[in-house]
Amino acid sequence: MDENDRSIAGFTMAGHALVHWFETSIPIFLVVWLAEFDVTIALLGLVVALGYAPFGLGALPGGILADRYGTKRLIVLCLAGMSLSFLALSVATSIYAIAAGLLLWGIAASVYHPAGLSLISTGVDDRGTVFAWHGIAGNVGIALGPFVAATLLIVLEWQLVAALLAVPGLLAVVYGLTAQFDPTAAVEDDVDAGPTEALSLSDLLGNSRALFASTFAIVFVIVTFEGLYYRGMLTYLPEILHGVPAMETLAVPEGLEGISPADYIYVGLLVVGMAGQYVGGKLTDRVSPDRGLAGLFVALAVLAVAFVPVTTMGLGAIVALCAVFGFFLFAIQPFYQNAVAVYTPPDTRGLSYGYTYLGEFGLGAASIAVAGFVLEGFSTAAFFVLIAGFAAAGAVLSAALAAGLDRFLEASPDTATGLNE
């Protein structure tokens, strides 16, 4: 990587890690808030949903803003907004103030993924390597957020913990303001990839129609199926692991009765995901995104079905399967991120990633409700078959894309006809 690539990598890695640092620390506060404000779980769940909902739904407007105002500016504002939101939580004295703080966090966090990935796609020459390190940084945040929050809550009041969690974000804002790089270094000189004038509604609709008349339409559906798989598995796998026979037979040391070995297995899965992110990112330089996605979706479908017999086996088999699963679950992410970069024009990259993460985090969240219904009304085996079905659908679409399905669409990503000039 050259100096510009390294600068963008460092900036986006910090942003990606911190988005998930804040995101995964929020559930740790739930038990404390239940006792602090004497509210029902249902009400608190609604309050937390106010934070998570805009995180996914705001990705599309976040992408539009990235195209309009520039990616670096949006990411710095994202970091500042998330940090200030947690500072607001630290002085909250009612459940309504908690709701307001979480809502502000979700709005601020929603712009990161379309802005950060747009920046990498237009500013980095060694894109696969940076996608890999960017993904690893996200996994670091996913693992460290709840770990640090839970550890600090043992010895400190929750208000102080919320304030301390904001400190890395504030430091990242300072770093971002001083970072120097060319956000369009990877784009040809005659291609406009910088901030544009505000688009009219007709221009925005025209650009959107052009995107969905191109190969991006297939990529969007593929990403949505990946989101359905990802959200469903990561939401319910911890609960499933808690109930498997192998966990119930393990003795927990005195004084650690609240900790289950399943929790450590789950965190380990996320840690192994860092290796998956790295390998997947490096492979995007060698394997086309459509073929890579097809193969990885097949692997994920097989792994989901494999959980049915393995959860009845011993601890060693469960740990091994979770490790392999964690690797492949995160190895696929650089491939769909690269697919967006390959199949969309540079001047609408923010809009493209906005739609991408609307599918990943917004539409993908539907599997939480659907899979929860299946898990409660049917069986664990039916749950894993459903999840495998999402991966199978993604594999079929990816294979069709590799076979030339995009030729049947009206526009190609190279011409990008209909996009606003």
Side-chain angles (χ1 to χ4, degrees), residues 76-104:
V76 170
L77 289 174
C78 165
L79 293 168
M82 291 190 300
S83 303
L84 292 175
S85 298
F86 265 63
L87 290 177
L89 288 175
S90 72
V91 297
T93 57
S94 70
I95 195 63
Y96 304 105
I98 295 292
L102 291 176
L103 179 62
L104 290 174

Side-chain angles (χ1 to χ4, degrees), residues 182-203:
D182 179 359
T184 60
V187 179
E188 297 294 334
D189 293 338
D190 60 345
V191 176
D192 180 16
T196 60
E197 295 299 323
L199 294 176
S200 66
L201 178 59
S202 61
D203 289 333

Side-chain angles (χ1 to χ4, degrees), residues 365-376:
S367 67
I368 297 176
V370 176
F373 172 79
V374 171
L375 193 58
E376 181 177 352

Side-chain angles (χ1 to χ4, degrees), residues 243-305:
V244 301
M247 300 300 165
E248 297 174 353
T249 60
L250 293 175
V252 178
E254 185 177 353
L256 299 177
E257 288 80 4
I259 298 176
S260 167
D263 297 325
Y264 288 100
I265 294 174
Y266 184 69
V267 172
L269 177 161
L270 299 175
V271 172
V272 172
M274 298 179 196
Q277 289 273 14
Y278 181 78
V279 173
K282 297 296 287 186
L283 286 176
T284 60
D285 292 329
R286 303 182 180 183
V287 181
S288 65
D290 42 26
R291 294 180 184 277
L293 285 167
L296 288 167
F297 269 124
V298 169
L300 289 174
V302 171
L303 289 169
V305 174

Side-chain angles (χ1 to χ4, degrees), residues 134-214:
H134 178 264
I136 290 171
N139 276 65
V140 170
I142 288 173
L144 283 183
F147 176 80
V148 172
T151 303
L152 291 177
L153 283 170
I154 296 174
V155 295
L156 299 174
E157 295 294 325
W158 72 266
Q159 295 91 340
L160 181 56
V161 173
L164 290 174
L165 290 176
V167 172
L170 295 173
L171 294 175
V173 170
V174 176
Y175 167 63
L177 291 172
T178 60
Q180 298 292 325
F181 49 78
D182 179 359
T184 60
V187 179
E188 297 294 334
D189 293 338
D190 60 345
V191 176
D192 180 16
T196 60
E197 295 299 323
L199 294 176
S200 66
L201 178 59
S202 61
D203 289 333
L204 177 60
L205 292 176
N207 285 0
S208 297
R209 281 196 298 269
L211 280 174
F212 283 96
S214 72

Side-chain angles (χ1 to χ4, degrees), residues 64 66-70 192-199 347 420:
I64 296 170
D67 284 336
R68 171 64 182 89
Y69 294 105
D192 180 16
T196 60
E197 295 299 323
L199 294 176
D347 60 340
N420 182 62

